[in-house]
Amino acid sequence: MKFKYIWFFIAVLCSAASFGQITIKGTVKDKANVPIPGVNVIVKGTSNSTATDFDGKFSISVPNKNTQIEFSFIGFTTKVVAAGDKTTLDVTLEESSQVLDEIVVVGYASVKKSDVTSSISSVKGKELQTMTVGNVTESLQGKVAGVQVTGQGGPGAQPRVLIRGISTINLSTDPLYVVDGIPMGTSINFLSNNEIESMEVLKDASASAIYGSRASNGVILITTKKGKSGKTRFTFDLSSGMQMMENPYDMANAEGYANIMNTAYNNSGYSDYLPDASQYRGKTTDWWGAGIRKSAPVTNASLGASGGSDKHTYAVSLNYYDSESFYEIGGWERITMRINNDFKFSDKFSAGVTLNPRYESWGGPGNWADFVKIDPITPIYKPADQLTGLENEYSIYARSPSYVWNPVAAVKRYDDYTDQYNLNTNGYLQYKPVKGLVIRTQASIEVGNKVQSIFRPDFVIDAAHEKAEINSVERKATTNHDWTWQSTATYSRTFAEKHNASLMIGSTMEEYNGNDTWAYGEGVPNNSESMREVNAATKNRDSGGNSWSSSVMSYISRFSYNYDSKYYFTGTFRRDGSSKFMANNKWANFPSASASWRISNEGFMENTKEVINDLRLRAGWGKVGNQGLPTSVYQSNIGQGYYVIGGEMVDTSYPSSMANKDIKWETVEDINFGVDFALWKNKLSGSLEYYQKKTNDMLFKKQFPTYSGFPGYSTIWTNVGSMQSSGIDLLLSYKDKKGDFSYGVDLTFTTVNVEMLSLSSEGERLYGAGNRTLTVKGDEPGYFYGYVADGLFQNQTELNAHTDEHGTKLQPYAKEGDIRFKDINGDGKLDDKDRTKIGSPWADYNVGLNFNFGYKQFDLVANFYSSIGNDIVNQNISDLYNGASLTNKVDGLDQMAWHGEGTSNYVPRLSKDDNNENFTKFSSFYVEDGSFVRMKNIQLGYTFQNKFGLDKLRISLSGQNLWTWTNYSGVDPEVAGGDPDKDDRVKGSGFGGWNYPVQPTILMGLNVAF
């Protein structure tokens, strides 16, 4: 009975709470009298909110007539209306001045886009979410002028991102990523694109100098989604589909392979390699079908909740991303969670905290090329009559005479997986003691643990060539614990109504710590999964470990001023101290200055307002630094090796690297000039910029000269030379709306010219990629360096004509159908002095073209990206065309290759010996035009507003990387190349081979909000 009174009491309270409530209904339209669906309608000071339906209608309850109702929608100016005595309220929203009133994140602050004086490009999270990618930077491709994104393919691969070309040839070229104000290094694989509110790209030094020593390659600022006051809003986003993998080449079947190899042997004077090729008819081994799946699932799912009140807002998101590999095993899996809480204790005090736990797991075979290269006559498994019954499960496979290890067996043996756990905590406290003054302190702590487990089973496929007679197990564990702390004070004030000034000062501290341990052992009693532990190893146990630490301390300041929204000036100064340098060079200063003139706000432009809505001139200058070298270059290190003395192996030690106490910062000095404009009611807008950046005191690891007395493999880090990058960025954007139809198109265009201005000594030559690239003063770095292939010898007359002045043949072993190499210097000899520039990995232009259309509830987006003018070294040519190797060849090679005068002037004759070195000499024969145009994404969507009890339901169908136009004959023209482990990031760029291709993907999408 007592419960009955409780329920009665609750009912009375509810009735009392609802007494006096007023229900207001109405419609929200734009100035053209067109209803606007999805407008946020909020009763100010409460959590009560709703959204307009497809017809722009809304209904909401307010406590009294003095209540204020706020109407907001992207692209329109927020409007606040008093409820009054009306029960019907029709509201008209005005379009905002497009991007001019947008808030743009800059270093340690946010400003109106109209007040920005530097080169900053902003991309909203909504634009990034149209693509399903593991790394959100892939979605930037073609959307930002001056930014080149090259996909690396493969689950979990990190794309290469270049902002306005390169500024170093030895260190990392990746930009710095800053997430919610905290520097996060050079990778954001941990971040889901569904978590992002906006990304700002700081392209010039006047914008990025506030980040000083970390900003030489540019800065990308990422703001994650925060909660907004109002009722709790739930979202669910799902994108699921299949990535397709096709064999990039039409390879020969068994009979065709036999014919090709027989031709190569006959051309070299040998008997048939495979007599009676017809015996292999219908007996082709389908290696590709046996080991590579035609499609692999990819899934991206996010669940979010956000809301709050005037005192507390929150946003919680959970994301799951899974990209399986094209084998039966392996892939990349990621689970991330982000919890944002912001508190407003009073008009003066506010605080916030973000938690970001995440988990990643990856691993998978990397031998997909072997499924193409292995010969088609070898069976997958050994014939039954070759088995003894004593073989383990890894020893029952057949060996190929091509020396390509059996790829099906290699996948079966694969066991190399990595698990990584991270937790990042980011909190801030903000205090406004007086009007215009904001004091803010922010700290972040991240801890992480990465464990790699490797097991290599014992097997014997061939006792001489393909075996591991003893198994081994290995475990590597890496932990990190990093923290940052930054404090700023910002004072802003307007004087005499037209003078607007702001001053920010602050300091930052960052420390990065880590350690790793590893253990190794052999002779595990058996290959079962339960035994794959280091403790189970019975032989050759070994272990080791190391730790590292680096820190940066900085003082920062920025002053900005504008007069009457016409004349703008911003100056920044940062002083960095790094633990990577000795006392004399530990500190460096990074200043910058930028200014702009808004011509459109001048009185003499008043009569042009109907046409010219915004017109600005900008100029900027600044210096940034680079300290991305190892943590202990000021120390001399001892390497371990061995030497045979008297027939016995003796352990030795040698100086592997020498300290350089005078090493100092690599610095980049940047200038930038630009014009921004918006025309015809902001329908057409854009910018045109010229930039030039010069790198001085480049950090470089050099070998000691032999006369020094140190071993030739001893190295020292030093500062050498300078380089310069320059070019233009162009952005054009057109947007319009005609009734129910809206459309827009964005064009981005970028040029980059790179030149080495000086090296450590006159005439110095820096080689890379196995001496196949060269860097010299006065030319672009890392250009392809080799012989010039001048077609093929078509007849004996041409062979006889290729001689020196005395009639001696330049290529004495050449025959008809071999490559003719040019005698570049005309000295009558073909030697290393005839090597020359034969191509460049750097594109002349990068172009992005992005379309979006909307009609009623339908929407369509299409994104295209193009790289023009770059070359690629197609290293696969040797595998596919060379008769001297026993790997499989492209179908019909015996007819494609030269087999008589005029039959080919490109593919040389098939030869078992290759005495002319057609394939072993690095020449222009390998260099191809790498230009391409790619459809990155096309997506069609349909949205239901306020249907089925939901605020929004959107379904979509999209295709990614469905179409590519290129003359490049390799696997994929989207090639970065370069080996960071060999300091060849730049000097090894542009080498294509069996790189993991960017895959076509078909996806279905579902977006729900309620």
Side-chain angles (χ1 to χ4, degrees), residues 464-660:
H465 302 286
E466 194 169 344
K467 64 177 180 177
E469 294 180 339
I470 188 169
N471 61 25
S472 64
V473 62
E474 190 171 358
R475 184 72 51 82
K476 302 176 182 179
T478 304
T479 61
N480 69 285
H481 45 285
D482 313 323
W483 62 266
T484 66
W485 182 25
Q486 54 197 36
S487 300
T488 59
T490 305
Y491 183 67
S492 304
R493 186 172 177 182
T494 299
F495 303 90
E497 297 184 355
K498 294 186 178 182
H499 300 271
N500 306 286
S502 177
L503 175 65
M504 183 271 288
I505 58 173
S507 65
T508 72
M509 290 182 286
E510 305 171 28
E511 185 172 279
Y512 303 91
N513 305 281
N515 62 77
D516 60 21
T517 56
W518 60 270
Y520 174 86
E522 296 176 344
V524 176
N526 59 63
N527 293 325
S528 65
E529 290 191 13
S530 61
M531 295 294 289
R532 297 180 180 186
E533 302 290 344
V534 175
N535 271 354
T538 59
K539 298 179 181 179
N540 300 326
R541 285 194 183 184
D542 197 4
S543 62
N546 197 10
S547 62
W548 58 88
S549 179
S550 66
S551 58
V552 179
M553 184 173 182
S554 311
Y555 301 98
I556 58 177
S557 63
R558 175 172 50 230
F559 173 74
S560 59
Y561 168 82
N562 84 74
Y563 172 74
D564 198 21
S565 298
K566 297 178 183 178
Y567 315 112
Y568 297 81
F569 172 80
T570 302
T572 69
F573 181 82
R574 176 163 176 146
R575 181 168 173 79
D576 276 343
S578 172
S579 63
K580 295 183 178 181
F581 301 97
M582 297 296 286
N584 292 341
N585 296 305
K586 186 174 293 295
W587 291 89
N589 300 323
F590 303 103
S592 78
S594 59
S596 71
W597 173 29
R598 174 165 286 152
I599 303 173
S600 55
N601 280 7
E602 295 287 358
F604 60 80
M605 296 290 290
E606 191 66 31
N607 294 332
T608 67
K609 290 292 185 181
E610 289 298 316
V611 177
I612 302 176
N613 309 117
D614 185 48
L615 180 62
R616 287 191 298 165
L617 296 179
R618 290 185 286 105
W621 166 88
K623 285 186 176 182
V624 288
N626 195 338
Q627 53 139 6
L629 69 170
T631 56
S632 303
V633 298
Y634 51 80
Q635 294 178 349
S636 296
N637 295 310
I638 300 298
Q640 302 295 318
Y642 64 88
Y643 197 80
V644 177
I645 301 177
E648 294 185 6
M649 186 180 297
V650 179
D651 291 332
T652 61
S653 299
Y654 62 90
S656 61
S657 64
M658 299 300 296
N660 184 355

Side-chain angles (χ1 to χ4, degrees), residues 660-712:
N660 184 355
K661 296 183 179 180
D662 295 323
I663 196 169
K664 57 184 178 181
W665 299 81
E666 180 176 287
T667 59
V668 179
E669 184 174 4
D670 180 292
I671 60 172
N672 181 80
F673 302 97
V675 56
D676 303 321
F677 58 88
L679 309 174
W680 300 300
K681 297 183 180 180
N682 300 304
K683 292 180 180 179
L684 177 64
S685 61
S687 64
L688 176 65
E689 303 176 64
Y690 170 79
Y691 66 90
Q692 183 186 96
K693 55 183 183 181
K694 181 179 179 181
T695 306
N696 295 307
D697 300 319
M698 290 190 302
L699 291 166
F700 196 87
K701 185 165 67 173
K702 299 192 66 175
Q703 290 185 341
F704 273 88
T706 54
Y707 58 76
S708 67
F710 291 101

